[in-house]
Amino acid sequence: MTGPTPIPVSTPPPTSPPSRVLICDDQELIRMGLRMVVDSQPDLTVVGEAADGDAAIAGAAALEPDLVLMDVRMPGLDGLAATEHLCAQPHGPRILVVTTFDLDEYAYAALRAGANGFLVKDAPAEEILVTVRAVLRGEVMVAPSLTRRLVERFVLHGPASASTPAQRRRLAALTEREREVLALVAGGLANGEIAARLFVGETTVKTHLGRILTKLGLRDRIHAVIFAYESGLVRVGD
């Protein structure tokens, strides 16, 4: 009788303590599966589990994880409310939303609340690990084109006059080129595609995007896209 097939992911031996992961899902089998995948790697360790948002908040406070794998649809306090709470903390963990569908309205709301990406529950083990490590490195794990699909499907759109005075003031702080770059980011273009469209280097695009995030007080590309739509800079179909 043979044992289980090893997860086909090669990682170098860790040179620092493993990253700490808290798993929050109301389904025990999902938690078990995620724990098995995460704990199979030398640079990752599961420090706890939670079955609802309240338990996730308490667990994060007690265990100080680097990352929370957060389900969204749970009884009691759901993953969205828990994400909002944890993202509001000054030194809170990074949040990776774990959802059943790749265009889940709750996943969009969690991203809007500050989550760092999302993962589909039936993703293969290798994809889960790649996504977990990327989020731990500070990356945002939602493809630019998928970000646009999420925003276009779930954000409320109104006329330009519906934007708030605060949003208009923030937009006014951008240069014309920065507004152009923001619109292209919101259109689902990656940095290389924006560079080709504007006939500039990709490094220049990254510089513009960094300045945009700083001026608007946004944490990452996802929230830049959301702001572009909600402020009226970009409309569905543009």
Side-chain angles (χ1 to χ4, degrees):
M1 182 174 179
T2 60
T5 303
I7 296 170
V9 176
S10 176
T11 58
T15 57
S16 58
S19 296
R20 300 165 60 83
V21 179
L22 173 67
I23 298 172
C24 180
D25 196 292
D26 63 328
Q27 298 181 53
E28 184 177 3
L29 286 177
I30 296 294
R31 296 199 306 271
M32 289 174 58
L34 289 171
R35 174 183 279 273
M36 182 177 67
V37 171
V38 172
D39 274 343
S40 71
Q41 303 300 299
D43 59 328
L44 303 170
T45 185
V46 175
V47 295
E49 297 181 10
D52 58 42
D54 285 319
I57 291 171
L63 301 170
E64 299 184 344
D66 302 299
L67 173 70
V68 178
L69 299 180
M70 182 74 76
D71 188 18
V72 287
R73 304 187 189 193
M74 295 179 289
L77 192 71
D78 65 19
L80 174 57
T83 295
E84 289 176 334
H85 178 91
L86 292 174
C87 289
Q89 305 305 306
H91 303 290
R94 299 186 71 79
I95 307 293
L96 180 56
V97 175
V98 184
T99 180
T100 306
F101 306 106
D102 67 350
L103 279 178
D104 189 320
E105 61 188 287
Y106 291 95
Y108 165 76
L111 292 173
R112 190 176 185 280
N116 306 102
F118 78 90
L119 180 71
V120 180
K121 284 186 178 181
D122 61 359
E126 185 169 4
E127 182 180 332
I128 292 173
L129 292 170
V130 167
T131 304
V132 163
R133 291 193 178 102
V135 169
L136 284 167
R137 288 195 302 269
E139 299 177 24
V140 177
M141 290 307 291
V142 181
S145 59
L146 187 51
T147 302
R148 177 175 179 171
R149 287 169 56 203
L150 279 166
V151 173
E152 289 194 348
R153 181 165 175 178
F154 297 115
V155 75
L156 295 176
H157 301 287
S161 60
S163 61
T164 66
Q167 288 172 331
R168 292 194 293 273
R169 285 195 298 270
R170 291 162 74 190
L171 275 178
L174 302 182
T175 66
E176 183 177 352
R177 176 46 62 94
E178 288 166 351
R179 288 166 67 98
E180 189 176 10
V181 169
L182 177 56
L184 293 172
V185 168
L189 275 67
N191 289 348
E193 295 170 318
I194 296 172
R197 179 77 63 89
L198 299 179
F199 303 102
V200 298
E202 191 168 346
T203 300
T204 300
V205 174
K206 292 178 180 178
T207 299
H208 283 309
L209 184 55
R211 289 173 179 166
I212 290 166
L213 296 178
T214 299
K215 288 182 178 181
L216 297 179
L218 302 172
R219 58 187 293 176
D220 54 46
R221 189 186 198 99
I222 290 175
H223 299 93
V225 174
I226 293 170
F227 178 86
Y229 277 92
E230 294 189 334
S231 67
L233 177 66
V234 177
R235 297 276 191 273
V236 174
D238 282 355

